[in-house]
Amino acid sequence: MSIQTVSGSKGLLQKEELIFDIGTTETTGVDLPAPKGRKDRLGGLKRKNGTGLPGLSEPQAVRHYVRLSQKNYAIDLGLFPLGSCTMKHNPRLNEKVARMPGFADIHPLQPQQTVQGAMEVIEQLEDWLKKLTGMPAVAMSPKAGAHGEWCGMAAIRAALIDRGEVNTRTRVLVPESAHGTNPATAVQCGFKVQEIAASSDGRVDLNDLKAKLEGDTSDVAGIMLTNPNTCGLFERDIREIADLIHEAGGYFYCDGANFNAIVGRVRPRDLGVDAMHINLHKTFSTPHGGGGPGAGPTVLSERLAKYAPYPVMTVDKRDGDYKLIYVDDEAELAGTDLKPLGRMCAFHGQMGMFTRALTYILSHGADGLKQVAEDAVLNANYIQARLKSVMSPAFEGYCMHEALFSDAFLKDSGIETVDIAKGMIDEGYHPMTVYFPLVVHGAMLIEPTETESKAELDRFCDSLESVARKAKSGDEALKQAPYLAPMRRLDETLAARKPVLRWLAEEA
């Protein structure tokens, strides 16, 4: 039975209009008399027309944004199955430590001797990241995963400049299943991208790679490879791949987005990696934060360590004080072999994320981090095992940290992957990642992370199994899902091609 309400609300979930439809431009949320006896200090820049923004009272403004927040899905509401995103729980202990005055109230322009505790946090996090990856150096300043990619590839470019080969070694090999940022980063750093085919089991086609490395390899700059890859699989041939690239004179950049699946169990250095960024939110539980702030520290091998960007962390051997050396202080690097590639950002990176990540690491310890990886892989394989009888796993065998399904089970049903995703909204879940990676037709990528219990995994699987069975039976109702969401299904193609990005009164 469909129930229509006069208010437009559903139960205690309030209907909410656009902010322009709530307030008007003729009213204001405050009622203050015009100031008297004050000189105009705007120098002729006084606004001649209104702002066009609606005036709301404080209760109206608060309720508007609270109501909007209630329409969002969040990791604090339930399992967030987005594959390749690692939507894990953000421990409240991390938040408590990050809000301590000694961390929260400092400023990057303070004299360094007044923030020694914060600098020690950076140094300790550096030490953990180097030990967990086996690398001798780490750049802390990159502000996100893609920024970290750029740092790693810029270090490779700096090394090629040092070798006098930057104009000849321009080819970077990238698997066709890679994150889209990989080829984009390579191009931004001045390289040309050559695609490597995927094998039938979802990994790098080693024969195709060997074919592309036959003959003259004097133009090879390196490879950008994700491991575990975007299909949720460990690249079994990774050591041979590294050897082939090194023999060709290139460098091995590893996309560390999925380091959470191997942290504490595998050291990238032992796999032949030369550079790798680490998403602190994916492996060490810092918040995604609605797109930021992020942090993507980049570890570097012996071959690239000296090109790590400014600032460079040093420790005074006499008094143990920490110091960050910026480009203006480069004279202090005299007598070393360091050749920083430049600066990645204004200061030293995202301090709030460093504090949270180190808290997470210290609260787990080395053995706990190892269990993080093991539980993430266990949870993903449990989901794959639960659903393989009703859905179609993209590849045979066990997966790593995420389970990947194709749309093969939907053949001749008239239902598509997008309909499954919309059906899951009615079940109370944010949909899994769909249509990625591109190497799998109608892909559905599910990453439960290590922070979900078996009970929550079962609840999710029960819901997805129900939707999948409806889909296989050709239930046309799924073509119109979601039914219970605040908004019904939109024309996503039209929204992408002709987005309405501003409110116009004449169109209201």
Side-chain angles (χ1 to χ4, degrees), residues 92 230 238 251 384 389 397 471 506:
R92 293 306 181 265
T230 55
I238 189 166
Y251 296 90
Q384 181 175 273
S389 64
E506 59 267 23

Side-chain angles (χ1 to χ4, degrees), residues 410-442:
L410 297 175
K411 185 178 180 181
D412 300 326
S413 68
I415 305 298
E416 302 176 36
T417 290
V418 66
D419 303 319
I420 299 280
K422 301 300 184 184
M424 287 302 288
I425 295 176
D426 281 334
E427 289 288 338
Y429 286 101
H430 190 290
M432 68 292 286
T433 295
V434 295
Y435 300 112
F436 179 83
L438 301 178
V439 295
V440 173
H441 196 274

Side-chain angles (χ1 to χ4, degrees), residues 27-32 55-58:
T27 61
T28 178
V30 294
D31 185 14
L32 298 174
L56 273 68
S57 67
E58 182 175 305

Side-chain angles (χ1 to χ4, degrees), residues 49-81:
N49 300 306
T51 62
L53 298 174
L56 273 68
S57 67
E58 182 175 305
Q60 283 180 309
V62 170
R63 287 173 183 167
H64 175 70
Y65 290 105
V66 169
R67 289 170 179 175
L68 290 183
S69 74
Q70 291 176 330
K71 302 180 193 305
N72 285 336
Y73 194 78
I75 189 62
D76 289 343
L77 289 174
L79 186 152
F80 212 131

Side-chain angles (χ1 to χ4, degrees), residues 180-436:
T181 51
N182 289 179
T185 297
V187 170
Q188 278 205 332
C189 287
F191 298 110
K192 298 176 182 177
V193 174
Q194 184 175 30
E195 190 175 89
I196 313 169
S199 62
S200 59
D201 66 354
R203 296 171 174 85
V204 167
D205 186 327
L206 195 59
N207 290 329
D208 186 55
L209 175 62
K210 289 178 178 179
K212 289 181 168 68
L213 293 176
E214 285 183 353
D216 184 11
T217 58
S218 61
D219 65 336
V220 173
I223 189 171
M224 297 186 78
L225 179 77
T226 306
N227 188 51
N229 66 24
T230 55
C231 295
L233 303 171
F234 192 88
E235 292 286 355
R236 290 188 298 257
D237 300 316
I238 189 166
R239 281 306 306 264
E240 186 173 357
I241 291 171
D243 291 342
L244 288 169
I245 293 297
H246 290 153
E247 288 168 8
Y251 296 90
F252 184 176
Y253 179 87
C254 182
D255 184 323
N258 300 330
F259 186 52
N260 58 295
I262 60 174
V263 63
R265 290 192 58 91
V266 178
R267 300 193 313 171
R269 177 188 183 184
D270 299 333
L271 303 177
V273 172
D274 290 306
M276 185 184 84
H277 81 269
I278 302 170
N279 299 80
L280 294 188
H281 62 277
K282 287 171 63 64
T283 300
F284 301 113
S285 82
T286 64
H288 280 70
T298 303
V299 291
L300 302 168
S301 70
E302 291 86 347
R303 304 174 73 202
L304 297 177
K306 63 183 177 182
Y307 305 109
Y310 290 107
V312 177
M313 174 74 79
T314 63
V315 182
D316 192 310
K317 294 181 180 179
R318 294 168 298 176
D319 53 22
D321 281 357
Y322 297 96
K323 183 171 184 179
L324 291 170
I325 297 176
Y326 289 93
V327 64
D328 295 336
D329 310 311
E330 60 181 340
E332 296 191 33
L333 299 180
T336 74
D337 66 345
L338 298 182
K339 298 181 179 181
L341 59 86
R343 290 178 68 167
M344 298 290 299
C345 60
F347 297 108
H348 50 262
Q350 189 53 259
M351 186 66 210
M353 298 303 109
F354 297 162
T355 308
R356 290 172 173 87
L358 183 61
T359 303
Y360 179 84
I361 290 171
L362 294 178
S363 63
H364 281 74
D367 56 340
L369 292 175
K370 179 172 176 282
Q371 186 178 345
V372 162
E374 292 169 348
D375 288 352
V377 172
L378 178 64
N379 282 356
N381 277 281
Y382 181 74
I383 284 181
Q384 181 175 273
R386 271 287 318 261
L387 298 174
K388 67 181 181 182
S389 64
V390 64
M391 297 172 67
S392 44
F395 304 102
E396 293 183 2
Y398 295 112
C399 60
M400 288 294 289
H401 60 298
E402 49 196 353
L404 178 60
F405 299 89
S406 75
D407 63 357
F409 72 100
L410 297 175
K411 185 178 180 181
D412 300 326
S413 68
I415 305 298
E416 302 176 36
T417 290
V418 66
D419 303 319
I420 299 280
K422 301 300 184 184
M424 287 302 288
I425 295 176
D426 281 334
E427 289 288 338
Y429 286 101
H430 190 290
M432 68 292 286
T433 295
V434 295
Y435 300 112
F436 179 83

